[in-house]
Amino acid sequence: SAVGRGPEVPFHSQAYRVSATARGKELRVTLSALGPAADTPQQQQHLVFRFGMSGSFRLCPAAELPRHAHLRFLTAESPPRALCFVDPRRFGAWRLGEAWQEGRGPCVVSEYQAFRENVLKNLDDRAFDVPICEALLNQKYFNGIGNYLRAEILYRLKIPPFEKARTVLETLKEQKNKKKDPSLMLSKKVRLMQKNLDLLELCHTVPMEVITAGKQIFDPEHSDNYANFKNWLQCYLVPGMSSLRDRNGRTIWFQGEPGPMAPKGQKARKTPSKKGAQPKADPETLTPKVTSRALRRRPRAAATPPKSDEEEEGEEEVTGGPRKGRARRRRVTAAPALPEPEMPPNTKRSRKTSARRGRGEA
């Protein structure tokens, strides 16, 4: 599209096949030419996608493209459909070539054993000197874990998010030795593994819940409806949970104590429950600017209450003098009791006419 930030895709073919392979947070899409174009030097084109926070693929009629469809692959049927890379926030991206991004470790889903070994053999790395909630976002070791997954994993294991990562993960070596004990019967080993699921295992099983139950959690026919996903969540954005920002500015949701490495000077906020949720205050009304003139005008709009001495002085300063302001108010309120004004000797009006007008005004 005209507003897409990704590079142009130098691939041309009247017919082609689209296939994909996932690894962690990346997706490699391969375009394979069909027919006569299959023998050309450009018979294949690889694209590697990162989805950011809002990127996704959507299949829809070509005549009804969704907004923010930054890349489209058209089908050969009639009427054609379009497989679109949709990214409203534009945090996602694609690049040409088949190489995965450097520095990413094994995938927590498709390469579980390699992922586990990569973590346990590198526990001396400084990357594990940080809180466990921050370490879980390090794609060098936890390729595929994001913000909502880390909250769900730590919540299920009741691990404080700001516990030191190395402290949490070093215990897994001891558990590994127990599970390899030859004196344990097989059935007891299975019970032990089920009872003592560790953090690295949940880094695999929790994402698998989303994948295997994808039809129920993310309905392809209603991709904008996240009600099922919200029902699946146990911690992330759930009412009653607490939240803090880590050193990278990412919000972590949790329950209970945050842990010894919690950021100082920051107070945990609780996500309000549905019943106790309060509407957001209008930012414009939080700190209104009220001038002394506005304060004086407000009482006059309703029934006028008696003014304090300070308000009297303020009005006198505006009108130009203390005596003048007070005299004007006394004359208005006591007009009926005023004596009849004396007329100058050279006036042409009679005293009777003036008196009638005076009574009429009163």
Side-chain angles (χ1 to χ4, degrees):
S1 70
V3 296
R5 295 182 178 177
E8 293 288 337
V9 181
F11 180 80
H12 303 279
S13 180
Q14 291 298 319
Y16 57 94
R17 180 186 295 112
V18 180
S19 58
T21 304
R23 184 176 185 268
K25 286 193 171 186
E26 294 183 298
L27 184 76
R28 181 167 61 205
V29 174
T30 301
L31 311 178
S32 303
L34 300 176
D39 298 328
T40 62
Q42 294 182 343
Q43 61 179 346
Q44 275 195 342
Q45 176 65 59
H46 299 282
L47 307 170
V48 177
F49 286 82
R50 288 186 296 107
F51 293 91
M53 295 179 67
S54 62
S56 65
F57 275 95
R58 191 178 307 176
L59 185 63
C60 60
E64 301 175 8
L65 292 176
R67 295 184 62 191
H68 311 290
H70 300 307
L71 197 61
R72 305 106 182 224
F73 305 95
L74 300 178
T75 65
E77 61 192 335
S78 182
R81 289 183 294 170
L83 178 65
C84 305
F85 176 65
V86 182
D87 186 16
R89 303 185 71 175
R90 303 188 193 180
F91 289 164
W94 68 86
R95 64 182 183 276
L96 304 178
E98 60 180 323
W100 302 110
Q101 185 179 18
E102 293 184 7
R104 287 183 178 269
C107 176
V108 297
V109 172
S110 61
E111 303 167 302
Y112 171 66
Q113 289 300 331
F115 148 71
R116 185 181 185 90
E117 292 174 6
N118 184 45
V119 172
L120 295 180
K121 73 180 182 181
N122 289 294
L123 287 181
D124 293 335
D125 194 328
R126 293 178 58 186
F128 298 102
D129 290 337
V130 301
I132 185 62
C133 66
E134 295 179 10
L136 284 172
L137 294 184
N138 187 337
Q139 300 301 295
K140 180 180 179 180
Y141 295 107
F142 297 90
N143 185 15
I145 301 299
N147 206 22
Y148 84 89
L149 284 173
R150 69 169 178 172
E152 295 299 312
I153 292 167
L154 295 176
Y155 170 77
R156 296 186 188 196
L157 293 172
K158 308 302 178 188
I159 296 176
F162 291 94
E163 186 67 56
K164 192 173 184 178
R166 187 177 292 105
T167 303
V168 174
L169 295 169
E170 278 181 340
T171 60
L172 303 186
K173 289 184 176 180
E174 299 176 4
Q175 293 181 14
K176 183 179 179 181
N177 294 333
K178 287 182 180 179
K179 291 177 184 179
K180 287 185 175 182
D181 188 351
S183 63
L184 295 176
M185 294 178 60
L186 180 62
S187 59
K188 192 171 183 180
K189 285 184 179 181
V190 173
R191 287 199 302 270
L192 184 63
M193 291 181 67
Q194 291 177 342
K195 184 178 179 181
N196 299 320
L197 285 176
D198 61 48
L199 184 140
L200 297 182
E201 288 173 345
L202 261 68
C203 285
H204 172 75
T205 58
V206 175
M208 285 300 296
E209 288 182 19
V210 185
I211 295 171
T212 56
K215 177 69 176 177
Q216 289 75 29
I217 296 178
F218 294 109
D219 188 348
E221 299 299 325
H222 303 88
S223 57
D224 292 331
N225 184 6
Y226 291 98
N228 291 333
F229 176 65
K230 290 180 180 179
N231 292 334
W232 175 83
L233 293 171
Q234 298 180 27
C235 178
Y236 181 78
L237 289 175
V238 172
M241 296 296 165
S242 302
S243 65
L244 281 170
R245 287 187 178 274
D246 60 23
R247 293 184 306 169
N248 301 317
R250 304 293 298 277
T251 302
I252 175 69
W253 276 263
F254 61 94
Q255 187 180 51
E257 294 299 322
M261 299 183 73
K264 296 180 180 179
Q266 194 180 151
K267 189 176 181 181
R269 296 181 298 174
K270 274 212 169 184
T271 307
S273 60
K274 292 182 180 179
K275 291 183 179 179
Q278 298 293 330
K280 272 189 177 181
D282 185 356
E284 297 296 329
T285 61
L286 291 178
T287 53
K289 295 180 180 180
V290 181
T291 61
S292 59
R293 182 174 296 181
L295 287 172
R296 288 194 301 275
R297 287 178 180 172
R298 285 177 184 172
R300 297 183 184 180
T304 306
K307 293 187 178 182
S308 64
D309 292 340
E310 293 179 359
E311 289 175 324
E312 293 272 5
E313 292 176 1
E315 183 169 334
E316 288 164 4
E317 291 176 2
V318 172
T319 55
R323 298 290 182 184
K324 189 175 180 180
R326 288 179 180 172
R328 185 172 295 171
R329 280 194 296 276
R330 281 198 298 270
R331 187 162 57 246
V332 172
T333 55
L338 287 177
E340 183 178 341
E342 294 184 2
M343 303 298 294
N346 58 350
T347 182
K348 295 183 179 180
R349 303 175 183 176
S350 64
R351 295 178 66 85
K352 187 180 289 187
T353 303
S354 299
R356 279 199 305 270
R357 289 187 177 180
R359 285 194 297 272
E361 291 175 0

